[in-house]
Amino acid sequence: MEIMVFFSLLLLVCSVSTNPTEADNEIVDQQISNQQPCQQDIHAVLREMAVSLAVQKLCSEVKLIKLLFTLLDHSTKLKELDGHETELDRQTTEIDQLKQQLQDKQVAFSTSLLDRGTLDIGPFNTDTTLIFKQVFTNIGNAYNPHTGIFTAPVRGVYHFECHAYGYADIMTRVELFKNGERIFIILELQPSHIWTSSNGASLLLEAGDHVFLRLSANARVRDSQGHHTTFSGHLLFTM
């Protein structure tokens, strides 16, 4: 009898615990309603973070594009500057060439055998190149006062003149040479007195050709403070 009563009470308790009441249902509904706003807030935050990251990425890309355009602009300006420098160098080279051509066309010299005093040159046993030491004019520096040789700087026609002073019974014989070719002779011989003889020629010279005066063997020439023995020349025109 007691056992039957116990089982009856147990079944009653189980039936009460397994059937939810309205209060229980309200509690569950409240928990569900509290969870839904929380999930919605998380999704909203995630969306905002995604948008923020996208905006930051876009800003970074825009900055990168601006930087690339800036670099491209600088590169273009550098190329333009290089082009200007190249053009400036070309113009400078042309100006230097024109200056050199102008200087080459300005050729003239005038010299005398002695720079001071009175002196006889010769006679010698062999032909001797005369060195004119007194330089009055040497435009273009084509005449060398150390060797007595004129060197043509450009191809053209040049005119040369020579005056030679002699005296007494020793002949005066001076020859003008173009490289190894004799062009003309100044020759004078008298038993007494003094004399001055001269000669001249216009020559077509190539650049680098040499022109000089040579005193013949056994001949003599004199110069003094009056500068009677002279050698001069100038460029007439280029060719």
Side-chain angles (χ1 to χ4, degrees), residues 158-179:
Y158 298 78
H159 182 74
F160 299 93
E161 289 187 359
C162 175
H163 299 268
Y165 172 49
Y167 70 98
D169 57 351
I170 298 179
M171 71 172 178
T172 297
R173 180 186 171 102
V174 177
E175 301 172 328
L176 179 78
F177 279 84
K178 169 189 171 183
N179 299 323

Side-chain angles (χ1 to χ4, degrees), residues 190-227:
Q190 295 183 15
S192 61
H193 307 296
I194 60 175
W195 60 82
T196 299
S197 299
S198 62
N199 207 339
S202 295
L203 305 175
L204 173 60
L205 302 180
E206 301 293 336
D209 281 348
H210 294 156
V211 176
F212 54 92
L213 290 172
R214 181 176 291 172
L215 179 67
S216 300
N218 302 316
R220 180 181 64 188
V221 67
R222 167 177 282 203
D223 198 14
S224 66
Q225 295 179 351
H227 303 298

Side-chain angles (χ1 to χ4, degrees), residues 39-53:
Q39 292 178 353
Q40 292 176 357
D41 292 341
I42 292 174
H43 289 306
V45 170
L46 291 176
R47 284 195 298 271
E48 290 178 359
M49 290 178 62
V51 171
S52 177
L53 290 175

Side-chain angles (χ1 to χ4, degrees), residues 63-149:
K63 290 181 180 179
L64 179 60
I65 292 173
K66 288 183 178 180
L67 179 60
L68 290 175
F69 275 109
T70 301
L71 292 176
L72 180 61
D73 183 59
H74 288 170
S75 177
T76 302
K77 290 181 179 179
L78 287 175
K79 289 181 179 179
E80 292 177 354
L81 182 60
D82 290 339
H84 291 322
E85 290 180 351
T86 302
E87 179 64 18
L88 181 60
D89 291 340
R90 185 187 66 80
Q91 292 178 357
T92 301
T93 301
E94 289 182 355
I95 291 173
D96 292 339
Q97 291 175 350
L98 290 174
K99 287 182 178 179
Q100 185 62 43
Q101 292 176 4
L102 181 61
Q103 291 176 356
D104 291 341
K105 292 180 180 179
Q106 296 176 343
V107 182
F109 74 98
S110 179
T111 63
S112 177
L113 191 59
L114 298 179
D115 54 359
R116 61 182 179 273
T118 300
L119 184 67
D120 292 337
I121 306 298
F124 302 113
N125 295 328
T126 59
D127 295 347
T128 304
T129 299
L130 292 174
I131 300 176
F132 290 76
K133 298 180 179 180
Q134 178 64 56
V135 178
F136 302 110
T137 304
N138 194 14
I139 299 173
N141 295 316
Y143 173 76
N144 188 332
H146 302 291
T147 63
I149 298 174

Side-chain angles (χ1 to χ4, degrees), residues 5-68:
V5 172
F6 174 76
F7 277 108
S8 298
L9 292 174
L10 181 61
L11 290 172
L12 179 61
V13 171
C14 289
S15 63
V16 171
S17 61
T18 54
N19 293 325
T21 63
E22 292 181 0
D24 292 333
N25 291 334
E26 290 179 358
I27 292 173
V28 172
D29 292 339
Q30 183 66 32
Q31 291 177 349
I32 293 174
S33 62
N34 290 336
Q35 290 178 357
Q36 288 179 351
C38 182
Q39 292 178 353
Q40 292 176 357
D41 292 341
I42 292 174
H43 289 306
V45 170
L46 291 176
R47 284 195 298 271
E48 290 178 359
M49 290 178 62
V51 171
S52 177
L53 290 175
V55 171
Q56 291 180 3
K57 182 179 179 182
L58 180 61
C59 291
S60 298
E61 291 177 351
V62 170
K63 290 181 180 179
L64 179 60
I65 292 173
K66 288 183 178 180
L67 179 60
L68 290 175

